[in-house]
Amino acid sequence: MLSFLSPGALWALPLAGLPVLLHLLFIRRAPRRSFSDLTLLREAHARALSAGRLRQWLLLLLRCLALLALVAAAARPVLHPRGASAAGAEEGLDVLILLDSSWSMRAEEAGRPRFERAVSVGLSFLRLLRPADRVAVASFSQGLDGELAFSPDARFAGEALARLRPGWKSTALAPALESAYAFLGRGEAHRRRAVLLLSDDSRHLLASLPSSGLRGIPGYDSRTLLLGLRWSQELSNAGIKEAAPASAGRSSVLVRSESFGKAPVSTSLDLWLRGRRVEQRALSLSEGASLSEIQLPSSNETELFGRLELRPDALPADDSWHFVLKVQPSPRVLYLHGGPDSLAAGRGGYFLRKLLSEEGRGFDAASGAEPGRMAYRLDAADMGRLSRLRLEDYSVVVLDDFQSVPPEVAEPLKRHVLRGGGLWIWAGDRLEEGGLESLADLLPGRLTGAYAPASGGLRADQAPASGPRGAFHWEDFDLANIAFGRRWGLEPSAEARVWLRDGGGAPLLAQKDFGRGRVLLWAASFDLARTNIALKPVFSALADTALSHLSAFTGERLWRCVRVGEPFERVWDGAQTAPARVEVESPDGRRTALVVRDRRVLYTQTREPGIYRMNLLGGSVQDESIEERFAVNADRSGDEGDLRPASVPWPQLRPEALREDFLLAVYGREARTLVLGLALLFLALEAVLIYPWRRT
């Protein structure tokens, strides 16, 4: 089928008859003159007349055809491929340029990201459009990234295209095409419509399409021509698919790497912590996924942050995985005593210090072994030095070996518990009756007097059977052999909860919540002169459970990682003091100030992967560092890293032959060169006919 890109030039077609008009205007009759007999001359003239007239008519025809070919060339004739319609070509083209901004477009081909090359192709494409054409520009990833509108001119569209940048979301083509069909469908029906898809045309691009293909997209219009790009190089890629803690309570990371392509990929997996590479492991990846477990080094830091990194390849965007592992800090315990020999051998303070500071004394309920020291750090101080201590530096205060608690000691202890701290009171031999009167409002019960129990033993009532070292059963310990030489009577309050009782069923250990903190009251001593519990394995289990309950310490390792576009929420629980505001700094240096409301803060501007830093401002934050972090990674739940080319159901344009492929796909092949060639052929034949050939 034939059409013309400049049909206005066809008004010059009558010029093709100019040679005939000139021939008629300049024709002259021969003058008549008297002459002798011309019989022989007439016979010769008659023989040459037929050949001369044929030559003249051929010259006239060739000149007309040459002019006709020149006029047709000026009208830019186009040969349309089979099935293409020429209707509406003269009315102009409505074209929508969709630029893929997903992170797979960061793949590098010949040392240049495909996104930059796609922008260059789009700018070159704009130079092919005619004044009657209209163009709109938009980017897409998970659907369109903005509103659609036709640009005033191609220059404006080029500026808009050059301002677009690649993002960090995965590709979802179907929603973008649905919006494109709806937008172009609102234009004039007689104009031609096309969508230029500047994407990598990889396999993941088709994942969002319905099973029926393009026809299954709502609003699909078969009259809208869809065009894509054809890349000259096929890229292979390997990347980190996912990383997560290997198991609860262990500082190790399970890394899932993935390779796309049949050939095995030799690479390395590096572990970086705080900007320093601490481990490198060689990997050989075949097609599919591979699992690796990386053990994080032991550290006293409350945060372990860094990245896991593969050797860079064609797509560096999925070669790194950022992580932040929040490690709950070891609680500090203050042993506050009132006697000079409270830490002497055989006293309760001695056993507590030995339990928390020496190796080999910790209780492991899972294996029954004693794997090492507990997670608590113990300081000891005389009660008289309390005014020189910062109680906010301690999670738990253990009060032991005192006669009474004076008001100047009781008030700081109350404020400590109200703010979320823990208090464990040991009622020892030196305690006087009424010695705890200053702390009466926070106690879980009232002490009634000292006595010697008639029977020994210990039994659990409502005591938790778990701590940072895991769950256990009180029945696993020989509680019947626990002996008490002297203890205090305990009358629990209504809001108290009894943890342990003695062999006769009398309450021995009770707990109560006070403000944001918790209080435990042990109605006995841990001195060896009054009980043998400190020599039994149950003592480490009891201390671990009590201290973890009072300090809210679980030994938890919290994985602080979200995906690009997902909000990060930080919540402060009752055992922590929330700051007044938080300032978040993104990897590119952008700072955002947030106000803490209801003990929580929500950050939504996770636009790029990396480590985000949070500065906690306005107030003392117990058991938290002033600076915290969280990690953001691109969404890798799909096969965005699969760069292998797909069999796409639309024509593809070669960047190096953009004009030719565009004209062929949209308008057909332009035949102006062919028509000009015919004009030259006609002129050459004319030159042959008018040449004065002579016989030799």
Side-chain angles (χ1 to χ4, degrees):
M1 184 175 294
L2 181 67
S3 67
F4 297 91
L5 296 180
S6 301
L10 296 178
W11 288 102
L13 279 179
L15 293 177
L18 185 61
V20 178
L21 179 62
L22 294 176
H23 174 74
L24 294 177
L25 289 177
F26 292 100
I27 191 172
R28 294 182 300 173
R29 292 182 176 275
R32 299 179 67 86
R33 298 185 184 277
S34 300
F35 201 72
S36 61
D37 186 26
L38 299 176
T39 302
L40 296 176
L41 187 59
R42 286 193 183 97
E43 292 179 357
H45 177 68
R47 288 194 299 269
L49 183 61
S50 58
R53 286 181 175 176
L54 177 61
R55 179 171 171 270
Q56 291 176 0
W57 284 111
L58 286 176
L59 284 173
L60 191 62
L61 177 63
L62 288 174
R63 289 167 181 167
C64 291
L65 289 176
L67 287 176
L68 181 64
L70 290 175
V71 173
R76 299 179 66 187
V78 172
L79 296 175
H80 291 273
R82 180 178 300 177
S85 173
E90 65 279 0
E91 300 292 340
L93 174 69
D94 287 346
V95 59
L96 173 59
I97 299 179
L98 290 181
L99 177 61
D100 187 355
S101 62
S102 62
W103 57 266
S104 64
M105 289 293 287
R106 297 173 181 267
E108 296 180 357
E109 183 175 331
R112 188 182 180 190
R114 280 185 169 179
F115 185 88
E116 293 183 7
R117 297 194 64 188
V119 171
S120 299
V121 171
L123 295 176
S124 300
F125 175 82
L126 290 174
R127 292 192 286 269
L128 302 178
L129 300 180
R130 302 173 300 159
D133 298 335
R134 298 188 301 178
V135 61
V137 174
S139 62
F140 76 96
S141 51
Q142 293 288 320
L144 288 181
D145 296 333
E147 299 293 331
L148 292 176
F150 285 114
S151 300
D153 51 41
R155 181 186 62 83
F156 188 88
E159 293 175 354
L161 185 63
R163 286 195 299 267
L164 297 177
R165 294 293 181 267
W168 289 99
K169 296 182 179 180
S170 55
T171 309
L173 178 60
L177 288 181
E178 181 179 351
S179 301
Y181 288 133
F183 171 72
L184 294 175
R186 294 193 293 267
E188 294 86 347
H190 57 274
R191 294 177 64 89
R192 301 192 66 186
R193 298 185 288 269
V195 176
L196 176 60
L197 190 62
L198 300 179
S199 181
D200 50 20
D201 279 1
S202 299
R203 297 187 182 185
H204 66 265
L205 188 65
L206 307 180
S208 64
L209 295 182
S211 57
S212 56
L214 294 175
R215 296 184 179 275
I217 298 177
Y220 169 75
D221 184 4
S222 60
R223 296 172 298 175
T224 299
L225 181 63
L226 181 61
L227 303 172
L229 290 182
R230 179 186 301 169
W231 299 94
S232 58
Q233 185 178 356
E234 180 177 342
L235 303 178
S236 59
N237 179 50
I240 298 178
K241 182 76 171 180
E242 187 181 11
S247 61
R250 294 180 60 188
S251 297
S252 59
V253 182
L254 194 62
V255 186
R256 181 184 177 190
S257 307
E258 195 162 14
S259 174
F260 301 99
K262 296 182 179 179
V265 176
S266 297
T267 184
S268 61
L269 178 61
D270 299 342
L271 171 63
W272 295 77
L273 289 178
R274 295 181 177 267
R276 184 173 60 90
R277 186 171 65 184
V278 297
E279 183 177 346
Q280 184 177 54
R281 180 179 301 183
L283 291 180
S284 180
L285 302 178
S286 301
E287 185 175 14
S290 174
L291 293 178
S292 305
E293 185 173 351
I294 301 295
Q295 183 70 36
L296 301 179
S298 58
S299 173
N300 293 327
E301 301 289 342
T302 59
E303 275 187 344
L304 296 175
F305 64 91
R307 69 184 185 273
L308 297 155
E309 190 171 74
L310 293 177
R311 186 181 304 155
D313 53 15
L315 182 57
D318 63 352
D319 293 332
S320 297
W321 184 278
H322 302 274
F323 68 90
V324 172
L325 186 63
K326 181 66 176 177
V327 181
Q328 191 175 10
S330 299
R332 294 185 66 182
V333 179
L334 176 62
Y335 178 72
L336 193 63
H337 58 85
D341 58 348
S342 302
L343 296 173
R347 303 297 301 274
Y350 167 81
F351 291 111
L352 182 64
R353 184 175 62 177
K354 189 175 181 63
L355 176 66
L356 301 188
S357 61
E358 293 187 1
E359 295 185 0
R361 239 359 225 126
F363 169 72
D364 187 354
S367 62
E370 297 177 345
R373 70 182 65 184
M374 288 187 179
Y376 310 98
R377 294 174 293 168
L378 181 67
D379 294 334
D382 184 86
M383 189 181 297
R385 297 180 53 215
L386 182 60
S387 60
R388 287 177 283 177
L389 299 176
R390 284 172 45 92
L391 284 185
E392 55 266 28
D393 294 337
Y394 296 93
S395 299
V396 180
V397 175
V398 177
L399 193 58
D400 181 34
D401 198 21
F402 57 93
Q403 294 178 343
S404 62
V405 181
E408 61 271 18
V409 174
E411 289 303 319
L413 292 178
K414 288 182 181 180
R415 291 195 299 269
H416 169 70
V417 177
L418 283 171
R419 287 196 302 262
L423 177 62
W424 192 4
I425 301 173
W426 296 356
D429 288 345
R430 296 183 58 206
L431 179 61
E432 301 174 350
E433 291 194 21
L436 293 176
E437 189 64 29
S438 59
L439 298 174
D441 51 349
L442 59 78
L443 293 179
R446 185 175 67 89
L447 297 181
T448 59
Y451 68 96
S455 60
L458 187 71
R459 65 181 184 179
D461 193 342
Q462 302 181 54
S466 63
R469 294 176 175 268
F472 60 91
H473 299 283
W474 291 100
E475 294 79 7
D476 295 338
F477 304 100
D478 193 5
L479 300 182
N481 291 330
I482 303 298
F484 294 97
R486 186 174 181 271
R487 56 153 297 178
W488 287 83
L490 175 59
E491 294 182 357
S493 60
E495 62 271 23
R497 186 177 67 180
V498 176
W499 279 21
L500 297 174
R501 298 177 184 271
D502 62 16
L508 185 61
L509 179 62
Q511 181 263 331
K512 175 186 174 181
D513 295 338
F514 185 78
R516 294 179 180 174
R518 300 166 181 176
V519 180
L520 276 176
L521 177 57
W522 173 255
S525 170
F526 285 106
D527 292 351
L528 191 59
R530 297 301 180 185
T531 179
N532 63 349
I533 189 174
L535 300 177
K536 302 294 184 181
V538 71
F539 179 62
S540 59
L542 173 59
D544 193 26
T545 303
L547 294 177
S548 66
H549 180 77
L550 294 172
S551 63
F553 178 71
T554 61
E556 180 183 19
R557 288 165 168 81
L558 185 61
W559 196 251
R560 287 185 173 174
C561 298
V562 297
R563 296 175 181 174
V564 168
E566 293 181 350
F568 174 76
E569 183 179 30
R570 173 69 165 96
V571 179
W572 285 265
D573 57 31
Q576 302 168 329
T577 302
R581 65 188 190 278
V582 173
E583 185 181 72
V584 181
E585 182 178 350
S586 63
D588 61 358
R590 186 179 66 254
R591 294 172 181 252
T592 304
L594 304 172
V595 178
V596 179
R597 291 187 174 89
D598 297 329
R599 307 181 61 79
R600 63 186 293 269
V601 69
L602 187 68
Y603 181 77
T604 59
Q605 302 179 33
T606 54
R607 300 172 182 172
E608 60 178 314
I611 303 296
Y612 288 68
R613 189 175 63 181
M614 297 190 301
N615 292 322
L616 311 181
L617 306 173
S620 174
V621 183
Q622 182 178 351
D623 296 333
E624 295 289 340
S625 61
I626 298 177
E627 187 175 86
E628 296 183 357
R629 294 169 179 82
F630 64 93
V632 177
N633 292 288
D635 182 9
R636 303 179 193 179
S637 56
D639 290 333
E640 187 73 20
D642 190 353
L643 302 179
R644 292 173 293 182
S647 299
V648 295
W650 51 76
Q652 293 177 300
L653 308 180
R654 296 168 296 171
E656 64 275 9
L658 182 64
R659 176 182 174 84
E660 179 183 353
D661 291 351
F662 168 69
L663 293 176
L664 177 61
V666 178
Y667 299 112
R669 187 178 298 275
E670 188 171 354
R672 182 167 56 177
T673 303
L674 176 62
V675 176
L676 288 176
L678 289 176
L680 292 175
L681 177 62
F682 295 149
L683 293 175
L685 291 176
E686 178 190 5
V688 171
L689 288 178
I690 64 175
Y691 186 79
W693 299 97
R694 294 180 180 179
R695 297 179 180 179
T696 56

